[in-house]
Amino acid sequence: MAVFDTPEEAFGALRPVCVQLTKTQTVETVEHLQARLQAVSDSALQELQQYILFPLRFTLKTPGPKRERLIQSVVECLTFVLSSTCVKEQELLQELFSELSACLYSPNSQKPAAVSEELKLAVIRGLSTLMHSAYGDIILAFYEPSILPRLGFAVSLLLNLAEQEKSKQIKIAALKCLQVLLLQCDCQGHPRSLGELEQKQLGDLFASFLPGISMALTRVITGDFKQGHSIVVSSLKIFYETVSFIMADEQLERISEVQPKPAVEHRVAELMVHREAKWVKNTSDKLTLLLKKIIECVSVHPHWKVRLALIELIEALLLKCSQSLVGSAGPLLKALVGLVNDESPEVQAQCNKVLRHFADQKVVVGNRAFADILSENLHSLATSLPRFMNSQDDQGKFSTLSLLLGYLKLLGPKVNFVLHSVAHLQRLSKALIQVLELDVTDIKVVEERCWNSGHLSASPETAAPQPWSPMQRRYFRFFADERLFLLLQQVCQLLGFYGDLYLLVDHFMELYHESVVYRKQAAMILNELVVGAAGLEVENLHENHIKTSPEDLREIVTSILEEYTSQENWYLITCMESEEVEEELTMKRSGLQAIACGAYTCQVTSFSAFSKPSPTICSMNSNIWQICIQLEGIGRFAYALGKDFRLLLMSALYPVLEKAGDQTLLISQAATSAMMDICHACGYDSVQHLINQNSDYLVNGISLNLRHLSLHPHTPKVLEVMLWNSDASLLPLVADVVQDVLATLDQFYDKRATSFVGVLHALLAALAQWFPDTGDLGQPQEQSAGEEGSHLSQGPAAPEKGLENTTTAEDIEQFLLNYLKEKDVADGNVSDFDNEEEEQSDPPKVDDSDTGPDVEPPLPVQIQIATDVMERCIHLSSDKDLKIRLKVLDVLDLCVVVLQSHKNQLLPLAHRAWPSLVHRLTNDDPLVVLRAFKKLNYQTFLSSVLPWRCAVTRPGAVSAGLAYPGRQVW
């Protein structure tokens, strides 16, 4: 079809169809007209606008019933014309507005007519297109007092559609059309910027609709979540833009108390509103009620875009209506602050942006400064916080703590006005102490044991990807949501960042000392206060705030660290094993305090200095968690101080290593995590690097403490952890300490054998790893009777494969032949032929260069240590304690591995150890028998020790079987 560019051509093409539509109103005729309109240019269509609109308007105004399909076609065709042209006459704009609105009018009711959804949607789109087609100042001239009834009618229809319709599409279209009618659409240039007089005129006009708009939109906003977030977002935007325009402080300041007489008829004048002080006060009170309903519903809406729209509402109302809506300022601020810790990053970012803007702009609400209102709200919240924490569910606690966090962020340094009030500080601290109370009834905490220190030698980058590693999840008495704990951490960090750190630390240290019920919670809070004071995990909304100086922070950390590692708080009963309980009892007799759990789940254990301790599961759990929290605190302190923590290593490293060797799994893990935090903060590559660089200090401490073992019973654990997590460079430093350990073991073997055997095991395992046997370390052996048969065992096994049997069939055959020959020699069955051969054999040649007797070179340090350790193991292998006997077997096996290339030292010791080993195999606990079989090293022990053992035994003893290990083992 050809395009008609000129009005003449277009008129010729459209005239027949328009005439036919005037005579016969049918759907087909309207569709025919719309098809012709497709071929007409916009400029030609503009010239013929009213001519084309006449038959369409005539069809709508014709009296009598009409088919909905016809009305829908006419409205769609009219919308097409308006979308391509501009309405330049005010009268035409008003008439078209009334005619389109009437399409949805039901004379029998106040509600929209019961028409099809398609027709409703077409009319709504037609109204929006009409308002957008208004040219220039025509749109502003439209909003005169005389239009008030017709405009109010359309607004009422659109609100009913948005509230009552089930179709989501119609709801959204109605809300968008309402935005257009209230001049809130986002179209560029529609409308143009308004002057002061124009704003006042529109404000007076729209004020008549404010009650209906606000109440209807409130019902939509607080409706079912299933209606969709886009409907709620649009409703919120219309609500706050309408309210912020009508109740704007700038407009209301220019409103006189005397209402001018409007130049309209009396019926319309009654609809006009004069925005004087009394009206503002009444309207503000009613809007406050509606805003509270909106905030209560929207702040917990599941969709983040709705919560984001709520922030925009709060920002608009507080910035534009802070004087007129002074009664709503409190709820609005409370809602804004409550969203500062929203789960959505977008909401958090926008909330922080608005809060920062408020703080920078120094917003005044009523006659009070913004900060004063926040301080008042924080005072009120601090007063009621203990009650909230005790009565609310997890969601309620989360909302309350989010609110507290927001106030702290927004107030910044001014939070000290609240903290300097003794009453408010006590209420705030008691609420935090109460909600952080741990559930210490889990028996698994005590049950989980760590029988080996394990290796900590991973690098901080691989073992701790975060700056600090949180320990095992804690279970709290009064909440189960993990988010609450993270929120409490942020609250404490903000208190440490903005608050008076000395005041807070002193206050919570008093609570730490006040009762065992508060001790764990106070320690958790102190840990986060220090991290917050360093400003590492805090978003600073106040650029002028001065952080705590590194010197002050280090002094505070030093005082807390001394309290944590003091004997009454560091050495607590954590298990029922006799040796550890005895150690704690010894310290108790020295006047130290025993710690028990709080009275909420069990009775506080109280016993005199010389009474037998009877710790309960509850008390041991409580002690374990206290130690773990303090260990976590040391890691957090290192994270806060960074490289400055090197200055505190002398007081922190030794106690942490003690706990790294603890048999309680949770404590050992917490200490390991603390070690990784220290490595990360102080710039060490690994725990091994950390230990090696500070080994001189550690070794000196171990040596001193071994002299007063009754006061320092955990000293062997430090050496054990060092051995597990170091390298051969440590051996020269610890050689003397090892001798001190062996001497102390000789003195206290009946009391502290368990801990010392653990050290020996770690020592020998380290030696086997540091000095692996390469096969060429054998010493020249002196020729002795029966040694010839031992040459089959000169190929030692690797230390990590000491139990692997690599003996071949030829070795076994040769071994048996040598054994039979040596047995004959031991029995005296030597033939004359053999004696003659020995007599005729050439004597050994003497080296002319040999000027003196052979001097055996000094033994390596590791060989001497292994020899000394094996001496002690021979004596301890028959200890009455089952665990010691099992551990000694492990140590013996490692001794053989280390000494396997030094036969002069190994064989005599093996000879002495053999009777005890036979006893373990024949007459001991089944666990010991099994362990003895597993640890028996066939290659290094049987093939080397057994022939020598037989050769040096008197002839009569062989037949007795005691010196015949083959009978016992095979």
Side-chain angles (χ1 to χ4, degrees):
M1 181 179 293
V3 177
F4 305 107
D5 292 328
T6 63
E8 293 78 10
E9 294 175 340
F11 180 77
L14 297 176
R15 182 176 180 276
V17 184
C18 290
V19 172
Q20 183 181 3
L21 180 59
T22 305
K23 296 178 180 180
T24 308
Q25 291 86 24
T26 61
V27 176
E28 291 75 13
T29 306
V30 177
E31 292 177 349
H32 187 198
L33 173 61
Q34 187 168 351
R36 289 289 181 92
L37 292 174
Q38 301 283 348
V40 179
S41 64
D42 292 345
S43 58
L45 200 57
Q46 180 67 50
E47 295 292 332
L48 301 174
Q49 182 191 55
Q50 294 200 29
Y51 179 79
I52 300 170
L53 291 177
F54 175 78
L56 296 173
R57 296 175 59 196
F58 179 77
T59 302
L60 292 178
K61 292 187 292 185
T62 301
K66 304 180 186 67
R67 291 190 303 164
E68 289 185 7
R69 185 67 184 88
L70 174 61
I71 299 175
Q72 179 183 343
S73 299
V74 171
V75 172
E76 289 174 350
C77 185
L78 190 148
T79 302
F80 175 79
V81 175
L82 294 175
S83 65
S84 303
T85 60
C86 295
V87 177
K88 299 182 179 181
E89 296 181 5
Q90 179 181 354
E91 182 180 359
L92 178 61
L93 180 62
Q94 293 180 354
E95 290 176 355
L96 286 173
F97 183 82
S98 300
E99 291 165 3
L100 285 174
S101 301
C103 294
L104 297 179
Y105 174 65
S106 176
N108 300 325
S109 66
Q110 298 290 335
K111 298 179 180 180
V115 296
S116 64
E117 293 182 352
E118 290 79 6
L119 177 57
K120 293 176 183 177
L121 194 59
V123 173
I124 293 171
R125 289 173 177 171
L127 284 172
S128 296
T129 305
L130 173 64
M131 300 306 297
H132 280 103
S133 67
Y135 182 79
D137 293 338
I138 297 297
I139 184 65
L140 296 179
F142 173 78
Y143 292 98
E144 60 182 11
S146 61
I147 198 66
L148 195 58
R150 282 179 281 184
L151 184 60
F153 172 71
V155 169
S156 178
L157 285 175
L158 294 173
L159 288 173
N160 276 319
L161 290 172
E163 183 180 356
Q164 304 295 336
E165 279 296 320
K166 296 181 179 180
S167 171
K168 183 178 177 180
Q169 190 177 14
I170 294 178
K171 283 176 173 286
I172 295 176
L175 290 171
K176 289 183 177 180
C177 185
L178 185 61
Q179 284 182 286
V180 175
L181 289 183
L182 298 175
L183 301 179
Q184 297 174 6
C185 65
D186 300 327
C187 304
Q188 295 182 356
H190 181 79
R192 61 177 176 81
S193 58
L194 303 175
E196 292 182 0
L197 181 59
E198 293 169 339
Q199 289 181 0
K200 178 182 178 301
Q201 292 175 350
L202 287 174
D204 291 337
L205 189 68
F206 292 160
S208 302
F209 311 140
L210 183 58
I213 292 176
S214 59
M215 288 189 290
L217 291 178
T218 300
R219 290 192 293 269
V220 175
I221 293 169
T222 59
D224 192 353
F225 290 162
K226 296 179 181 179
Q227 65 182 326
H229 74 276
S230 57
I231 296 173
V232 182
V233 170
S234 298
S235 301
L236 283 169
K237 184 175 181 181
I238 298 172
F239 184 96
Y240 73 75
E241 289 190 348
T242 303
V243 173
S244 62
F245 182 76
I246 298 171
M247 303 294 291
D249 296 333
E250 293 182 359
Q251 286 194 42
L252 297 178
E253 290 175 356
R254 298 190 293 267
I255 302 295
S256 63
E257 291 297 325
V258 181
Q259 181 179 8
K261 187 176 181 180
V264 292
E265 59 185 37
H266 179 70
R267 185 175 64 88
V268 176
E270 291 179 348
L271 299 176
M272 296 293 294
V273 170
H274 180 55
R275 294 179 290 170
E276 39 83 25
K278 184 178 180 180
W279 180 88
V280 172
K281 178 66 171 62
N282 294 334
T283 304
S284 175
D285 294 341
K286 294 173 183 177
L287 286 174
T288 299
L289 298 177
L290 297 178
L291 285 170
K292 287 181 179 179
K293 292 183 180 179
I294 291 174
I295 291 170
E296 182 181 356
C297 179
V298 175
S299 59
V300 295
H301 198 282
H303 203 283
W304 66 272
K305 288 187 177 180
V306 176
R307 303 193 299 275
L308 190 64
L310 178 61
I311 296 176
E312 296 173 357
L313 178 146
I314 295 170
E315 181 182 18
L317 296 184
L318 287 180
L319 289 178
K320 297 180 181 179
C321 312
S322 60
Q323 306 300 317
S324 60
L325 296 179
V326 64
S328 303
L332 290 173
L333 279 176
K334 183 178 179 180
L336 179 63
V337 173
L339 292 172
V340 76
N341 197 54
D342 193 87
E343 60 184 14
S344 168
E346 292 84 357
V347 177
Q348 281 192 32
Q350 183 64 22
C351 189
N352 289 329
K353 179 182 177 181
V354 173
L355 290 175
R356 188 182 294 108
H357 178 65
F358 284 172
D360 295 341
Q361 295 294 323
K362 298 181 180 178
V363 178
V364 177
V365 180
N367 296 323
R368 297 181 299 168
F370 186 60
D372 294 339
I373 298 177
L374 291 175
S375 297
E376 181 181 333
N377 289 354
L378 183 56
H379 275 89
S380 176
L381 180 61
T383 302
S384 56
L385 192 59
R387 176 170 53 85
F388 287 159
M389 293 295 99
N390 191 40
S391 61
Q392 293 176 326
D393 58 6
D394 281 6
Q395 184 59 44
K397 290 185 177 71
F398 186 84
S399 301
T400 302
L401 291 174
S402 296
L403 188 61
L404 174 62
L405 182 64
Y407 285 140
L408 295 177
K409 277 190 175 182
L410 200 52
L411 278 173
K414 295 181 181 179
V415 73
N416 286 313
F417 295 138
V418 179
L419 298 179
H420 288 162
S421 169
V422 176
H424 289 95
L425 177 58
Q426 287 180 348
R427 293 189 183 100
L428 179 62
S429 60
K430 286 298 178 66
L432 295 176
I433 289 289
Q434 176 185 344
V435 76
L436 281 170
E437 190 172 337
L438 286 170
D439 181 4
V440 293
T441 58
D442 187 6
I443 193 173
K444 291 183 179 179
V445 174
V446 178
E447 282 183 338
E448 293 180 340
R449 313 298 288 160
C450 180
W451 300 111
N452 227 331
S453 300
H455 291 272
L456 314 178
S457 302
S459 64
E461 291 76 9
T462 58
Q466 299 177 344
W468 63 280
S469 302
M471 59 181 181
Q472 180 177 330
R473 179 183 176 184
R474 285 156 277 204
Y475 294 92
F476 297 87
R477 288 194 66 201
F478 297 109
F479 67 88
D481 192 345
E482 185 69 16
R483 297 181 305 158
L484 276 173
F485 178 64
L486 300 177
L487 197 55
L488 287 164
Q489 281 184 314
Q490 295 180 48
V491 168
C492 297
Q493 289 166 9
L494 276 180
L495 286 173
F497 185 69
Y498 290 122
D500 186 338
L501 188 60
Y502 281 100
L503 171 66
L504 290 169
V505 170
D506 287 345
H507 180 74
F508 283 103
M509 285 304 294
E510 288 180 3
L511 293 175
Y512 182 90
H513 293 126
E514 181 178 330
S515 171
V516 291
V517 178
Y518 301 152
R519 193 154 299 170
K520 294 179 290 298
Q521 302 94 295
M524 283 188 275
I525 295 171
L526 287 168
N527 297 344
E528 301 307 323
L529 287 176
V530 171
V531 173
L536 298 177
E537 298 180 7
V538 177
E539 181 180 7
N540 185 11
L541 301 180
H542 305 268
E543 297 178 356
N544 297 328
H545 172 62
I546 301 176
K547 296 194 302 183
T548 305
S549 66
E551 293 77 14
D552 291 342
L553 187 60
R554 189 167 61 248
E555 289 181 5
I556 290 173
V557 168
T558 302
S559 64
I560 301 175
L561 188 60
E562 290 176 355
E563 191 65 36
Y564 281 0
T565 56
S566 62
Q567 288 189 331
E568 61 267 26
N569 298 319
W570 196 248
Y571 301 104
L572 308 175
I573 298 176
T574 57
C575 69
M576 291 295 295
E577 295 178 15
S578 58
E579 183 173 326
E580 182 166 347
V581 174
E582 183 179 353
E583 291 170 358
E584 305 303 339
L585 182 58
T586 302
M587 303 179 72
K588 173 74 176 176
R589 291 170 179 171
S590 301
L592 305 178
Q593 179 183 6
I595 305 301
C597 73
Y600 50 82
T601 52
C602 65
Q603 299 296 324
V604 176
T605 305
S606 176
F607 44 86
S608 62
F610 294 97
S611 63
K612 185 178 179 180
S614 56
T616 63
I617 294 295
C618 174
S619 65
M620 290 187 291
N621 276 354
S622 180
N623 293 340
I624 289 171
W625 277 118
Q626 181 183 333
I627 295 172
C628 289
I629 292 168
Q630 292 171 170
L631 282 166
E632 183 189 33
I634 294 175
R636 298 291 270 166
F637 298 159
Y639 172 50
L641 292 179
K643 292 191 180 297
D644 283 349
F645 194 76
R646 286 176 176 261
L647 301 175
L648 303 180
L649 276 179
M650 295 289 287
S651 56
L653 185 56
Y654 190 97
V656 174
L657 281 175
E658 277 187 341
K659 296 306 177 184
D662 198 281
Q663 292 184 0
T664 302
L665 179 62
L666 198 61
I667 295 177
S668 177
Q669 290 176 342
T672 301
S673 179
M675 294 287 290
M676 299 308 302
D677 296 335
I678 292 173
C679 289
H680 189 279
C682 297
Y684 292 103
D685 298 333
S686 63
V687 173
Q688 177 179 317
H689 186 209
L690 171 65
I691 292 175
N692 288 345
Q693 292 296 313
N694 298 276
S695 56
D696 52 349
Y697 144 67
L698 293 171
V699 169
N700 182 63
I702 294 171
S703 179
L704 293 175
N705 291 339
L706 282 174
R707 301 174 188 176
H708 307 282
L709 194 60
S710 60
L711 297 178
H712 306 282
H714 301 86
T715 301
K717 294 180 180 178
V718 181
L719 181 58
E720 183 178 350
V721 175
M722 290 179 64
L723 292 169
W724 278 117
N725 301 279
S726 189
D727 54 21
S729 62
L730 183 67
L731 185 59
L733 285 173
V734 301
D736 293 337
V737 174
V738 169
Q739 297 303 321
D740 294 341
V741 168
L742 294 176
T744 309
L745 174 62
D746 295 340
Q747 184 179 1
F748 297 103
Y749 69 91
D750 56 337
K751 297 180 180 179
R752 307 188 185 280
T754 302
S755 56
F756 281 108
V757 170
V759 173
L760 298 181
H761 182 268
L763 174 64
L764 268 296
L767 293 178
Q769 180 182 359
W770 298 343
F771 304 99
D773 183 24
T774 58
D776 56 353
L777 300 178
Q779 302 270 340
Q781 305 295 318
E782 295 182 0
Q783 295 295 327
S784 60
E787 190 184 17
E788 297 173 0
S790 65
H791 292 296
L792 296 177
S793 61
Q794 294 301 313
E800 296 181 358
K801 298 181 181 180
L803 301 182
E804 182 180 355
N805 185 11
T806 59
T807 304
T808 63
E810 292 78 5
D811 294 336
I812 296 175
E813 180 181 0
Q814 186 63 40
F815 164 74
L816 292 175
L817 292 174
N818 291 336
Y819 170 72
L820 293 175
K821 180 179 179 181
E822 291 169 354
K823 183 175 181 296
D824 290 338
V825 172
D827 292 339
N829 300 326
V830 181
S831 63
D832 296 337
F833 180 75
D834 293 334
N835 291 333
E836 291 177 359
E837 285 185 350
E838 291 181 4
E839 292 175 356
Q840 295 176 1
S841 62
D842 296 334
K845 296 181 180 180
V846 179
D847 189 356
D848 297 337
S849 62
D850 191 2
T851 59
D854 293 338
V855 179
E856 186 174 350
L859 292 175
V861 177
Q862 70 272 16
I863 301 303
Q864 184 60 53
I865 290 176
T867 303
D868 295 338
V869 171
M870 194 167 179
E871 287 273 2
R872 271 71 176 184
C873 289
I874 292 172
H875 297 290
L876 291 173
S877 60
S878 59
D879 192 275
K880 60 182 179 180
D881 191 336
L882 173 62
K883 290 195 301 182
I884 294 179
R885 297 200 302 275
L886 292 171
K887 200 74 169 182
V888 165
L889 288 172
D890 295 338
V891 178
L892 275 173
D893 178 62
L894 291 170
C895 288
V896 172
V897 172
V898 175
L899 296 173
Q900 59 184 310
S901 297
H902 294 75
K903 303 303 181 182
N904 287 347
Q905 287 72 41
L906 172 62
L907 296 179
L909 290 173
H911 171 61
R912 294 172 53 193
W914 183 254
S916 178
L917 181 61
V918 171
H919 190 70
R920 302 283 80 73
L921 291 167
T922 58
N923 188 22
D924 208 328
D925 187 276
L927 288 175
V928 178
V929 175
L930 181 61
R931 181 70 60 88
F933 271 112
K934 288 183 177 180
K935 294 300 180 181
L936 197 59
N937 189 316
Y938 286 90
Q939 182 174 351
T940 59
F941 199 92
L942 286 180
S943 58
S944 297
V945 180
L946 177 58
W948 183 87
R949 174 76 178 89
C950 297
V952 300
T953 306
R954 66 183 185 274
V958 177
S959 59
L962 178 61
Y964 182 42
R967 178 183 298 179
Q968 306 294 334
V969 178
W970 298 331

